[in-house]
Amino acid sequence: MMKKPILFILLICLISCSQKNKDNTPWTPLFDGETLNGWTQKGGNAKYKVREGSIVGSTAHNTSNSFLTTDKLYSDFILELDFKVDSTMNSGIQIRSNSFPYYRNGRVHGYQVEIDPSKRAWSGGIYDESRRGWLNPLTDNPEAQKAFKQNDWNHYRIEAIGDTIKTWVNGVAAANLIDEKTASGFICLQVHEIHADKKEGTEIVWKNINIITENLSKYSKKSPLKPIITKNKLTIDEAKKGWKLLWDGKTTDGWRGAKLKEFPTNGWKIENGELSVLASGGGESTAGGDIVTKESYGDFELTVDFKLTPGANSGIKYYVDTNLNKGAGSSIGLEYQILDDELHPDAKLGNHEGSRTVSSLYDLIQADVKKPIKPIGEWNTAYIISKDNHVEHWLNGAKVLEYERKSDEYLKLVSESKYAKWPNFGELNEGQILLQDHGDLVSFKNIKIHPINTTKK
């Protein structure tokens, strides 16, 4: 007589428990389980197909890294997915990644959440594909290293919100990165290139690929990990290659006024990890004045992030000798121009057409007119390399000009420029790096140098 009520109560309990455990998160699937609609392959020639409700990627010989990318771009999101990978493979989930014609002929680049079944066990770590290398390895996170399951299904959770990227491997916190490099891009599934001695056709399988893009604060999880912050710090690979910070992000160490023994007491500001020359009416070196490194450099690689304000003018000079030009104006050296080409009148001036536009060799050589400059108020990355008198200017990953220092062609350009009055202009074997005060608000960060040959003064 009592069996039916008991069964009814048990049924109610089961339904109640099921409702409590139900995931009410408003996930949107990125994969329909049947086709690759909404996805496009970029890069190499690995094979991608749909099998039994999953996306299958298989390795191929004689090809570079392959990427199955979403057609849609994403900025802030929470992504979850499952995957199973062959133990001999390497793979990853690209997020906020891009492919531009100017950047290494369209090469996919950006953040990658690593899939690493090797003994290193850095699955869930964050690598910067085709750019800076490792940003957040799992060297100091043995719990996450152990969370990955060989030859079995694994679950990733990836949160990219603002400048913070957090990852979990099978529920274990793996990476917590604060990085400002890229705010938006596609998501993609990588099949890594393989060496000739590796077996072709090994597979990685993905399924249950779901994303949230709204109300992220409601669904975001707190990570127990201390964040790795990259701003004004060397990456692992940069340190290994011998790069050095030129500015520590906090102090004036290593810098002085170009015409002073110490750092200027006014005209410059350090705040929130940014070094800014302040607006003072647009005059050249009339406020705090230019600042220079205390050390001098011969051959080098230099990278500087810079941000313009409307109508602003500044510059990065190299092979500077502050003993030249003790009078008014800026110190003398070769200059990577920093300028608002649209609003500043200098863009239309110069002894060589276009030679005063952004990323040009000031007053000497115009940068490529197709240069990938970002809108005013956004950060750009300048890169300069000088080796054996061959010099290149790059902007946001694109080479915009090159020249041979001390060559006949170079000397002719100098003779036709405002620098003709300076003997042996730009021909020093070593010199200082300079950030220019041109009376406009311009900010700098991530100032790094790789000295190929360095000599202290």
Side-chain angles (χ1 to χ4, degrees), residues 207-279:
K207 66 179 182 180
N208 302 326
I209 309 170
N210 298 302
I211 197 167
I212 317 170
T213 57
E214 296 181 356
N215 300 318
L216 297 178
S217 60
K218 179 179 179 180
Y219 302 104
S220 177
K221 293 173 59 176
K222 185 177 180 180
S223 174
L225 302 175
K226 181 180 179 181
I228 290 178
I229 302 171
T230 61
K231 189 175 185 178
N232 299 312
K233 294 181 180 178
L234 296 178
T235 68
I236 294 172
D237 292 319
E238 286 170 342
K240 286 180 179 178
K241 293 175 182 177
W243 283 79
K244 298 180 180 180
L245 278 177
L246 272 186
W247 182 55
D248 62 15
K250 299 176 182 178
T251 72
T252 62
D253 292 353
W255 294 82
R256 66 172 177 83
K259 299 175 184 179
L260 302 170
K261 291 183 179 180
E262 301 298 331
F263 198 88
T265 56
N266 66 300
W268 290 82
K269 178 177 70 173
I270 295 174
E271 187 175 59
N272 298 323
E274 299 174 12
L275 175 62
S276 299
V277 54
L278 302 178

Side-chain angles (χ1 to χ4, degrees), residues 284-295:
E284 185 177 308
S285 296
T286 56
D290 302 337
I291 58 172
V292 295
T293 56
K294 290 182 178 180
E295 291 193 20

Side-chain angles (χ1 to χ4, degrees), residues 125-373:
I126 301 173
Y127 181 81
D128 195 2
E129 176 77 15
S130 298
R131 285 195 306 200
R132 297 167 294 168
W134 279 103
L135 303 177
N136 190 154
L138 267 59
T139 313
D140 300 320
N141 191 349
E143 186 179 357
Q145 288 179 288
K146 295 173 185 176
F148 176 82
K149 295 182 289 187
Q150 288 282 10
N151 301 308
D152 201 350
W153 287 99
N154 290 275
H155 181 78
Y156 271 9
R157 179 182 176 93
I158 303 166
E159 295 190 9
I161 303 173
D163 61 4
T164 302
I165 301 173
K166 298 180 288 187
T167 71
W168 286 261
V169 177
N170 297 320
V172 178
N176 188 1
L177 175 73
I178 297 178
D179 185 83
E180 302 174 325
K181 188 69 173 177
T182 306
S184 178
F186 44 64
I187 293 166
C188 47
L189 311 177
Q190 186 205 52
V191 174
H192 204 280
E193 64 180 343
I194 57 171
H195 297 296
D197 61 341
K198 294 290 184 179
K199 181 182 177 182
E200 188 175 45
T202 52
E203 293 183 344
I204 178 168
V205 186
W206 298 272
K207 66 179 182 180
N208 302 326
I209 309 170
N210 298 302
I211 197 167
I212 317 170
T213 57
E214 296 181 356
N215 300 318
L216 297 178
S217 60
K218 179 179 179 180
Y219 302 104
S220 177
K221 293 173 59 176
K222 185 177 180 180
S223 174
L225 302 175
K226 181 180 179 181
I228 290 178
I229 302 171
T230 61
K231 189 175 185 178
N232 299 312
K233 294 181 180 178
L234 296 178
T235 68
I236 294 172
D237 292 319
E238 286 170 342
K240 286 180 179 178
K241 293 175 182 177
W243 283 79
K244 298 180 180 180
L245 278 177
L246 272 186
W247 182 55
D248 62 15
K250 299 176 182 178
T251 72
T252 62
D253 292 353
W255 294 82
R256 66 172 177 83
K259 299 175 184 179
L260 302 170
K261 291 183 179 180
E262 301 298 331
F263 198 88
T265 56
N266 66 300
W268 290 82
K269 178 177 70 173
I270 295 174
E271 187 175 59
N272 298 323
E274 299 174 12
L275 175 62
S276 299
V277 54
L278 302 178
S280 59
E284 185 177 308
S285 296
T286 56
D290 302 337
I291 58 172
V292 295
T293 56
K294 290 182 178 180
E295 291 193 20
S296 292
Y297 300 91
D299 289 355
F300 65 88
E301 294 176 84
L302 174 72
T303 182
V304 181
D305 289 346
F306 68 89
K307 181 172 65 174
L308 283 158
T309 53
N313 184 352
S314 184
I316 304 164
K317 294 189 178 184
Y318 50 102
Y319 293 117
V320 172
D321 183 350
T322 56
N323 290 317
L324 297 174
N325 189 26
K326 292 287 189 177
S330 185
S331 291
I332 302 303
L334 297 162
E335 180 177 351
Y336 182 112
Q337 172 74 315
I338 293 175
L339 193 79
D340 180 349
D341 289 351
E342 296 296 322
L343 297 181
H344 200 287
D346 255 22
K348 296 180 174 63
L349 302 177
N351 288 286
H352 300 94
E353 184 180 358
S355 61
R356 296 189 182 182
T357 56
V358 67
S359 66
S360 295
L361 179 61
Y362 179 79
D363 212 48
L364 297 173
I365 302 174
Q366 180 182 21
D368 188 340
V369 295
K370 296 179 180 178
K371 59 198 172 191
I373 185 70

Side-chain angles (χ1 to χ4, degrees), residues 9-157:
I9 292 169
L10 287 172
L11 182 61
I12 294 296
C13 289
L14 286 171
I15 292 171
S16 177
C17 291
S18 175
Q19 288 176 341
K20 286 181 181 179
N21 294 328
K22 184 179 178 182
D23 184 0
N24 294 314
T25 308
W27 295 106
T28 298
L30 291 183
F31 168 52
D32 62 17
E34 298 179 354
T35 71
L36 294 179
N37 292 342
W39 298 79
T40 301
Q41 185 169 347
K42 300 182 187 296
N45 299 314
K47 304 298 182 183
Y48 291 91
K49 62 183 179 181
V50 177
R51 186 178 70 205
E52 298 176 351
S54 300
I55 297 175
V56 181
S58 56
T59 56
H61 286 141
N62 304 315
T63 185
S64 57
N65 292 347
S66 302
F67 305 90
L68 186 66
T69 73
T70 58
D71 295 338
K72 187 176 178 180
L73 303 182
Y74 296 90
S75 52
D76 288 2
F77 60 86
I78 299 172
L79 176 72
E80 290 197 1
L81 73 167
D82 299 319
F83 68 89
K84 183 164 63 173
V85 63
D86 187 280
S87 62
T88 65
M89 286 182 65
N90 179 279
S91 183
I93 314 297
Q94 294 286 144
I95 62 171
R96 290 181 177 174
S97 296
N98 290 280
S99 171
F100 303 121
Y102 66 79
Y103 191 93
R104 301 189 185 184
N105 296 316
R107 186 165 180 173
V108 171
H109 57 282
Y111 303 111
Q112 179 184 137
V113 180
E114 182 80 358
I115 295 175
D116 177 20
S118 73
K119 290 182 180 180
R120 182 180 60 178
W122 282 3
S123 290
I126 301 173
Y127 181 81
D128 195 2
E129 176 77 15
S130 298
R131 285 195 306 200
R132 297 167 294 168
W134 279 103
L135 303 177
N136 190 154
L138 267 59
T139 313
D140 300 320
N141 191 349
E143 186 179 357
Q145 288 179 288
K146 295 173 185 176
F148 176 82
K149 295 182 289 187
Q150 288 282 10
N151 301 308
D152 201 350
W153 287 99
N154 290 275
H155 181 78
Y156 271 9
R157 179 182 176 93

